[in-house]
């Protein structure tokens, strides 16, 4: 069965909508068995309507910016749980939003959460960064932000890299060894006039190293993988026909929707669960192109 994990849509406050190519990939009738919304996804009626078209089995947990309740009908409201446990195949899957984990996004705290709920897989959100790793035999998955909405958290620290920068107006230091034997005054040749201090200052340059000027994000380095979600069969590696065409895409695909939604990398996760094996497909939209990574986890 296929389980779709989405988080942190933040529509309409921080994002406009899902990327167009994401909506095309997910518009596959009767393929996705269940959808899990991991917080901050309940303030847009059109978004929830689209999710109900993807699958009628939708599980929602409360995010930091959700109201706490969601209207199921005109006269009825459902209270959103802070966390919940679902069962698929041989797995127990715990779902929560990252704001309930202290310290936030801490692996050991997430491991404690998994042990408290006695689950094999943890789905969590709130960080807007896609992650997938195993710890103590348990599988931890963060689908990131499905719209690429910006986050108010502190940015991740990147390793500092030296970048050359040229500055003018400084006089290079004199070498300690001088040709006159150490009196600090260079020897002059007969007939050659000595340049003035002002001329020396205007013609000199100094090259300095300035750390921290690299702005390359890790998500821009995501490698392409073989499997893809298509109208034929999600997760089988068949590409959508709209992605293979060169000039048939609509005008909506001609611009980078990442900039409209805040500059982060839109992403979501699709879990293909068969018995005790979970195959994870991580979808990211980088520079207008959908890329996929694959991770396989087997229950011990």
């Amino acid at each position: 069965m296929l389980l779709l994990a989405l988080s942190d849509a933040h529509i309409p406050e921080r994002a406009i909508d899902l990327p167009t190519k994401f909506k095309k990939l997910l518009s596959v009738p009767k393929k996705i068995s269940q959808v899990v919304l991991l917080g901050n996804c309940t303030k847009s009626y059109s978004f929830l309507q689209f999710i109900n078209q993807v699958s009628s089995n939708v599980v929602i947990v409360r995010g930091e910016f959700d109201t706490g309740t969601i209207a199921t009908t005109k006269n009825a409201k459902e209270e959103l749980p802070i966390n919940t446990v679902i069962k698929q195949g041989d797995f127990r899957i715990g779902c929560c939003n990252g704001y309930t984990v202290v310290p936030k996004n801490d692996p050991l705290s997430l491991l404690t959460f998994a042990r408290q709920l006695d689950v094999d897989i943890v789905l969590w959100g709130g960080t807007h960064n896609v992650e997938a790793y195993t710890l103590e035999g348990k599988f931890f998955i963060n689908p990131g932000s499905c719209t690429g909405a910006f986050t108010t958290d502190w940015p991740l620290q990147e390793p500092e890299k030296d970048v050359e920068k040229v500055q003018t107006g400084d006089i290079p230091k004199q070498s300690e060894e001088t040709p006159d034997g150490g009196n600090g005054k260079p020897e002059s040749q007969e007939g050659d006039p000595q340049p003035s201090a002002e001329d020396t200052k205007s013609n000199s340059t100094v090259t300095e190293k300035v750390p921290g000027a690299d702005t390359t994000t890790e998500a821009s380095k995501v490698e392409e993988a073989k499997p893809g979600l298509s109208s034929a069969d999600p997760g089988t590696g068949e590409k959508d026909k709209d992605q293979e065409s060169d000039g048939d895409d609509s005008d909506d695909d001609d611009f980078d929707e990442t900039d409209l939604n805040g500059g982060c990398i839109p992403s979501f996760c699709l879990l293909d669960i068969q018995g005790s094996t979970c195959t994870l497909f991580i979808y990211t939209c980088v520079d207008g192109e959908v890329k996929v990574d694959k991770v396989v986890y087997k229950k011990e």
Side-chain angles (χ1 to χ4, degrees):
M1 67 149 297
L2 294 175
L3 172 66
L4 175 64
L6 301 174
S7 183
D8 298 290
H10 287 286
I11 302 173
E13 290 92 346
R14 305 185 191 180
I16 298 174
D17 199 358
L18 284 171
T20 304
K21 291 189 176 181
F22 276 6
K23 299 189 77 171
K24 288 182 179 180
L25 289 172
L26 296 175
S27 298
V28 183
K30 299 180 180 179
K31 286 294 182 181
I32 297 176
S33 302
Q34 190 174 31
V35 179
V36 179
L37 300 181
L38 300 169
N40 304 322
C41 295
T42 62
K43 292 189 177 181
S44 171
Y45 175 77
S46 61
F47 175 78
L48 293 176
Q49 189 177 29
F50 172 76
I51 296 302
N52 285 321
Q53 293 174 357
V54 174
S55 175
S56 58
N57 186 2
V58 181
V59 176
I60 306 176
V61 295
R62 181 176 178 178
E64 186 176 6
F65 298 97
D66 287 323
T67 57
T69 59
I70 182 173
T72 55
T73 62
K74 291 184 178 179
N75 299 321
K77 291 185 177 181
E78 179 183 353
E79 185 175 355
L80 299 178
I82 296 179
N83 56 66
T84 188
V85 177
I86 59 178
K87 297 180 180 179
Q88 295 295 345
D90 296 336
F91 296 101
R92 285 173 53 87
I93 304 174
C95 308
C96 72
N97 188 262
Y99 85 100
T100 61
V101 179
V102 180
K104 190 173 184 179
N105 206 37
D106 179 63
L108 294 180
S109 299
L110 288 168
L111 179 60
T112 301
F113 171 78
R115 289 172 174 170
Q116 289 174 345
L117 296 184
D118 189 23
V119 295
D120 309 295
I121 300 175
V122 172
L123 298 175
W124 90 100
T127 67
H128 299 219
N129 294 308
V130 61
E131 295 182 70
Y133 59 87
T134 58
L135 181 63
E136 297 291 337
K138 301 182 185 296
F139 196 23
F140 297 86
I141 303 170
N142 187 333
S145 171
C146 60
T147 59
F150 69 88
T151 175
T152 57
D153 293 337
W154 289 100
L156 296 177
Q157 295 293 330
E158 296 183 1
E160 295 183 352
K161 296 183 180 180
D162 292 340
V163 178
E164 291 187 356
K165 181 178 179 182
V166 177
Q167 296 181 347
T168 60
D170 295 331
I171 302 177
K173 295 182 180 180
Q174 295 289 342
S175 174
E176 295 180 359
E177 297 181 359
T178 55
D180 65 339
N183 57 7
K185 297 181 181 180
E187 294 181 353
S188 60
Q189 299 179 358
E190 296 182 359
D192 293 336
Q194 289 292 327
S196 62
E198 294 181 358
D199 293 336
T200 304
K201 183 177 181 180
S202 62
N203 292 332
S204 62
T205 59
V206 176
T207 302
E208 295 185 355
K209 300 287 186 178
V210 179
D214 182 46
T215 58
T216 304
T217 59
E218 292 295 331
S220 64
K221 305 175 184 177
V222 177
E223 298 179 356
E224 294 189 19
K226 296 295 182 182
L229 184 63
S230 66
S231 58
D233 187 9
T236 59
E238 299 180 8
K239 293 184 178 180
D240 190 88
K241 294 181 179 179
D242 293 333
Q243 296 182 11
E244 295 179 354
S245 61
D246 294 330
D248 296 337
D249 291 343
S250 62
D251 293 338
D252 293 338
D253 297 336
D254 293 335
F255 60 87
D256 188 1
E257 292 174 297
T258 303
D259 294 336
L260 290 178
N261 288 343
C264 296
I265 301 299
S267 60
F268 69 86
C269 290
L270 187 68
L271 288 75
D272 185 4
I273 298 176
Q274 303 293 337
S276 60
T277 301
C278 174
T279 304
L280 172 67
F281 299 98
I282 302 173
Y283 290 78
T284 55
C285 187
V286 182
D287 296 331
E289 296 296 330
V290 177
K291 301 183 180 182
V292 189
D293 281 336
K294 176 181 176 181
V295 180
V296 178
Y297 167 72
K298 294 184 178 181
K299 183 177 178 180
E300 297 179 355

